[in-house]
Amino acid sequence: MTQAPSHLPSRTIFFISDGTGITAETLGHSLLTQFEGVRLKMVRIPFVNSTDKARECLERLKEATILDGARPIVFSTLIDRDLNRILSEANVLCLNFFDTFIVPLEAELGVKSTHTIGRTHGSIDTNDYKQRIEAINYTLSHDDGVTNQGLEQADVILVGVSRCGKTPTSLYLAMQFGVKAANFPLIPEDFERMKMPDSLVKHREKLFGLTIQPERLNQIRSERRPNSKYASLENCRYEVKEAEKMMRQHDIRWLDSSTKSIEEISTTIMQEVKLERLSF
Amino acid sequence: MTQAPSHLPSRTIFFISDGTGITAETLGHSLLTQFEGVRLKMVRIPFVNSTDKARECLERLKEATILDGARPIVFSTLIDRDLNRILSEANVLCLNFFDTFIVPLEAELGVKSTHTIGRTHGSIDTNDYKQRIEAINYTLSHDDGVTNQGLEQADVILVGVSRCGKTPTSLYLAMQFGVKAANFPLIPEDFERMKMPDSLVKHREKLFGLTIQPERLNQIRSERRPNSKYASLENCRYEVKEAEKMMRQHDIRWLDSSTKSIEEISTTIMQEVKLERLSF
C-alpha cells in the first residue's frame, strides 16, 4: 500500500471521529491494505465534538485537496448531524461507518439509536473497564514467571522458551480482551530435570504453549545478546526441541508463533482455551 | 446495551472474519453501543478461511436463528466471494464492512482491490511490526521509573503520582501506536525536595503529566492497600496537589485521567505531544 513509486500523486486519508478515531482508523487501514500502487498519507483527527472543531476539520480537508490536487478520502465515525453537515461542505469521498450501518440496524432491532457521542470505549465506571485494568495489572505482575502466587486467578498461563512471544501476547490478551494472562519461561534447568515445574503442572488445563522456529529465535535473541551461547542457533534448536517435547509430554496445546502477529496468536489462544472476551 | 429486561427476546450478533475478527468486533460493538433496551449475545468466529469453515459457520447461524426465534445480525469482514456465497444461504442481516466500502474505494482510487485474505495486521516481517514489538519491550523495561538509562530513546515520558494510570497508558501507547513510552512516578521524596528529578527535567519536551481526582485515587489505592497512609484521602490530596504544582512549575502539559479511558488518554497524548502513529 505504501510502496508505490514516488512520482505518483499522493492522496490524503482522514480518519475523523468525535471520539478517539481508533475505530475509524482500524477499519479504514484494513480496507486500504487491499490497494496496492497508491501513495497515501494518513491523518487522524480525534475528538471532533464541537462546531468549531468541525470547521477546523473542514479547513484541513480543503487544504489537503489543494496540496494533493485530488480530493481526500474520509473515514468517519462522526454521529452528530450538525457536525456531519459542516464537513459535507468539503468535496471528499466520505465513508461514514455510523451513517452507513445505523439505519439497517435500527430497522432490524426495531429500536431507534441513541445517537450518543463517544460511547465506543464505554464508561470507565463499568465493571468491564475495571476488569480490563485489573487484567493488565495482573498480567504485568505475573510476567516472565516472577511469581507462582495467585496463578489460580489466571485465565490462561502461557509457557515457552525465552523470547518466543509470551510477553507481548499476554499483554495483548489483557489489554484487548480483559483476560488475566500469566506467563512462564521454560528454561534449560527445566529441560535438564526433564520436568515442567510442579507449580505449572497443577494448572495444566490453563496452560498454553508457544513455540517458534529455531532460526527465528536465533535472529531475535541475537539482536539482544549477539554472539552469546544463549542466542546461538545450536542452543535455540536444543531449547525449542526440548520445550516441544515437554509440551507434548504434558499434553499441552501449543502453536508456532513464528509467522503470526500478536493479534493472530491471541485470537487463536482465546479460541483454543475457550475464553470469552471479558471486556471491550 | 446489555441492561435490557430479561423477558425481552435475545438476538445473537456474529462477528465473522477470515482473520482475527477484531476489526469486525470493534466496529460492530461500537455501532451496538448506540442501541439501548436490546438483549444481545455476541459471538466472534475468526479464521473463516475455507469452505469447510464457512459451512460450519452457516450451521451456527441457523442454530442461533432457531434458538433466538429471530435471525442473527452478522458483522463481517469476509473478503472471499465463495465463502460469502456460502454464508448468504442463511437468513441473516449481514453487514459486510469490506463489501460495502471496497467498491467506492476502487472507483475513487482508480485501482482494483487485491481481495487478499488476512492482511489487516500486516506481515510480521515488516519494520512496522518490529517497531511495535520493540516499543512494547522498551515500555516494559522503562515502567515505573525502574531505570534512567535510555530515556533519550523514549518518544514520550509519562509522569504522575503512583496509581494515576501511567502504566496501562504507556502499554497502550506502545501496543496500539508503536510508541516508546517510559513512565516515572512522582513520589513524596520529590515533593519534599520540591524538585523534579534531574534525569527527567532534561527531557522536558518529552514529558507528559497525568493527574487524577484525589477521591478517585483514594478509591484505587484503597483496593490495593486498605487503611494505609498511602491510600488515605488526606495523603492523596497532598500528593495530587504537590504533583500538579510541580508540573505547573516545569511547564509540563498534563491531563486529568479520572474520567477518561486508556484509549482517550492515549489519543490525547498522541495529539498533544504531536506523535505520529508508528505502526499498525
Side-chain angles (χ1 to χ4, degrees):
Chain A
M1 166 176 115
T2 41
Q3 278 139 18
S6 59
H7 64 267
L8 279 180
S10 144
R11 290 289 281 267
T12 308
I13 310 293
F14 285 92
F15 305 108
I16 299 179
S17 171
D18 46 45
T20 64
I22 293 172
T23 306
E25 198 177 24
T26 306
L27 182 55
H29 184 263
S30 61
L31 282 164
L32 293 168
T33 56
Q34 296 292 322
F35 292 92
E36 286 174 351
V38 283
R39 282 179 65 220
L40 304 174
K41 187 177 165 246
M42 310 211 198
V43 180
R44 179 164 39 95
I45 311 185
F47 308 124
V48 179
N49 49 16
S50 67
T51 51
D52 279 358
K53 287 188 185 163
R55 294 207 174 282
E56 261 176 55
C57 225
L58 178 63
E59 287 314 307
R60 293 181 68 178
L61 297 177
K62 288 180 178 170
E63 280 165 23
T65 312
I66 297 170
L67 212 65
D68 297 342
R71 64 179 191 165
I73 297 173
V74 175
F75 294 99
S76 159
T77 52
L78 270 195
I79 294 169
D80 188 271
R81 289 189 188 94
D82 294 334
L83 305 184
N84 274 320
R85 205 170 296 128
I86 292 172
L87 291 188
S88 71
E89 290 174 29
N91 175 23
V92 300
L93 171 68
C94 182
L95 304 175
N96 187 314
F97 299 141
F98 269 83
D99 274 2
T100 310
F101 297 116
I102 281 291
V103 173
L105 280 173
E106 286 183 339
E108 185 69 22
L109 293 168
V111 178
K112 278 274 164 200
S113 78
T114 54
H115 263 74
T116 327
I117 273 184
R119 297 194 51 173
T120 308
H121 305 295
S123 157
I124 66 156
D125 283 319
T126 58
N127 280 333
D128 235 38
Y129 191 78
K130 279 183 197 148
Q131 196 151 32
R132 193 172 158 214
I133 296 291
E134 215 178 290
I136 296 171
N137 288 329
Y138 179 90
T139 295
L140 274 175
S141 58
H142 291 80
D143 182 36
D144 205 30
V146 287
T147 176
N148 293 331
Q149 303 276 303
L151 284 185
E152 54 287 348
Q153 291 158 43
D155 296 308
V156 62
I157 304 169
L158 302 184
V159 294
V161 301
S162 157
R163 294 281 127 193
C164 69
K166 298 182 300 299
T167 295
T169 304
S170 305
L171 285 171
Y172 190 83
L173 282 167
M175 189 81 85
Q176 179 74 20
F177 299 112
V179 156
K180 289 181 182 157
N183 76 76
F184 266 79
L186 295 178
I187 54 175
E189 285 78 345
D190 299 321
F191 308 141
E192 280 157 29
R193 263 189 269 118
M194 299 206 299
K195 205 169 165 299
M196 190 166 278
D198 289 336
S199 50
L200 293 181
V201 175
K202 69 175 179 186
H203 296 291
R204 208 178 55 84
E205 78 290 354
K206 287 195 238 179
L207 296 181
F208 194 95
L210 291 187
T211 190
I212 185 168
Q213 288 156 17
E215 293 70 21
R216 185 156 181 97
L217 185 61
N218 161 248
Q219 192 187 333
I220 295 170
R221 287 186 173 183
S222 296
E223 279 170 26
R224 289 233 143 182
R225 295 205 225 149
N227 307 317
S228 61
K229 187 197 164 202
Y230 166 79
S232 74
L233 184 55
E234 194 194 342
N235 182 57
C236 289
R237 282 200 180 117
Y238 164 75
E239 287 195 28
V240 168
K241 196 184 79 197
E242 291 298 315
E244 292 183 358
K245 197 200 286 179
M246 197 164 271
M247 294 194 276
R248 247 181 251 114
Q249 178 193 330
H250 289 89
D251 204 14
I252 294 169
R253 294 151 295 189
W254 45 285
L255 67 79
D256 183 340
S257 72
S258 308
T259 59
K260 291 190 167 67
S261 68
I262 308 178
E263 283 82 356
E264 290 165 335
I265 301 169
S266 304
T267 304
T268 306
I269 293 171
M270 294 289 289
Q271 218 179 6
E272 293 277 324
V273 186
K274 300 205 181 350
L275 290 171
E276 294 276 331
R277 178 193 263 276
L278 299 172
S279 94
F280 270 99
Chain B
M1 169 175 110
T2 43
Q3 279 139 17
S6 60
H7 65 266
L8 278 180
S10 145
R11 290 289 280 268
T12 309
I13 310 293
F14 286 92
F15 305 107
I16 299 178
S17 171
D18 47 45
T20 64
I22 294 171
T23 306
E25 198 178 24
T26 306
L27 182 55
H29 184 262
S30 61
L31 282 163
L32 292 169
T33 55
Q34 295 294 320
F35 292 92
E36 287 174 351
V38 283
R39 282 179 65 221
L40 305 173
K41 188 179 164 244
M42 309 209 198
V43 180
R44 178 164 40 95
I45 311 185
F47 307 123
V48 179
N49 49 17
S50 68
T51 51
D52 279 357
K53 287 188 186 163
R55 292 207 176 281
E56 262 176 55
C57 226
L58 178 61
E59 287 315 305
R60 293 182 67 178
L61 296 177
K62 288 180 179 171
E63 280 164 24
T65 312
I66 295 169
L67 211 66
D68 297 343
R71 64 178 191 166
I73 298 173
V74 175
F75 293 99
S76 159
T77 53
L78 271 195
I79 295 169
D80 187 272
R81 288 188 189 95
D82 294 334
L83 304 184
N84 275 318
R85 206 169 296 127
I86 292 171
L87 291 188
S88 71
E89 290 174 28
N91 175 23
V92 300
L93 171 69
C94 182
L95 304 175
N96 188 313
F97 299 140
F98 270 83
D99 274 3
T100 310
F101 296 115
I102 280 291
V103 173
L105 280 173
E106 286 183 339
E108 185 70 22
L109 293 168
V111 178
K112 278 273 165 201
S113 77
T114 55
H115 263 73
T116 327
I117 273 184
R119 297 193 54 172
T120 308
H121 306 294
S123 157
I124 67 156
D125 283 320
T126 58
N127 281 334
D128 235 38
Y129 191 78
K130 280 183 197 149
Q131 197 150 31
R132 192 171 158 215
I133 295 291
E134 216 178 289
I136 296 171
N137 288 330
Y138 179 90
T139 295
L140 274 176
S141 58
H142 291 80
D143 182 37
D144 205 29
V146 287
T147 176
N148 292 330
Q149 302 276 303
L151 284 185
E152 54 288 348
Q153 289 159 44
D155 296 308
V156 62
I157 304 168
L158 303 185
V159 294
V161 300
S162 157
R163 295 280 127 192
C164 68
K166 298 183 299 300
T167 296
T169 305
S170 305
L171 285 171
Y172 191 83
L173 283 167
M175 188 81 84
Q176 179 75 21
F177 299 113
V179 156
K180 289 181 183 157
N183 76 76
F184 266 78
L186 295 179
I187 53 176
E189 286 80 345
D190 298 322
F191 307 142
E192 280 157 29
R193 261 190 271 118
M194 298 204 301
K195 205 169 165 300
M196 189 168 278
D198 288 338
S199 50
L200 293 181
V201 175
K202 69 176 181 188
H203 296 292
R204 206 178 55 84
E205 79 289 354
K206 288 195 237 178
L207 295 181
F208 194 94
L210 292 186
T211 190
I212 186 168
Q213 288 156 18
E215 292 71 20
R216 185 156 182 97
L217 185 61
N218 161 248
Q219 192 187 335
I220 295 169
R221 287 185 172 183
S222 295
E223 279 169 26
R224 288 233 144 182
R225 293 204 226 150
N227 307 316
S228 62
K229 187 196 165 201
Y230 166 79
S232 73
L233 184 56
E234 194 194 343
N235 183 57
C236 289
R237 282 202 180 116
Y238 164 74
E239 287 195 27
V240 168
K241 197 186 78 194
E242 291 298 315
E244 292 184 358
K245 197 200 287 180
M246 197 165 269
M247 294 193 276
R248 245 180 252 113
Q249 178 193 330
H250 288 89
D251 204 14
I252 295 169
R253 295 151 296 189
W254 45 285
L255 66 78
D256 183 340
S257 71
S258 308
T259 59
K260 291 189 166 68
S261 68
I262 309 178
E263 284 81 356
E264 289 165 336
I265 301 170
S266 303
T267 305
T268 307
I269 293 172
M270 294 290 288
Q271 217 179 8
E272 293 279 322
V273 187
K274 300 206 181 348
L275 289 171
E276 294 277 328
R277 179 192 263 277
L278 298 172
S279 94
F280 269 99

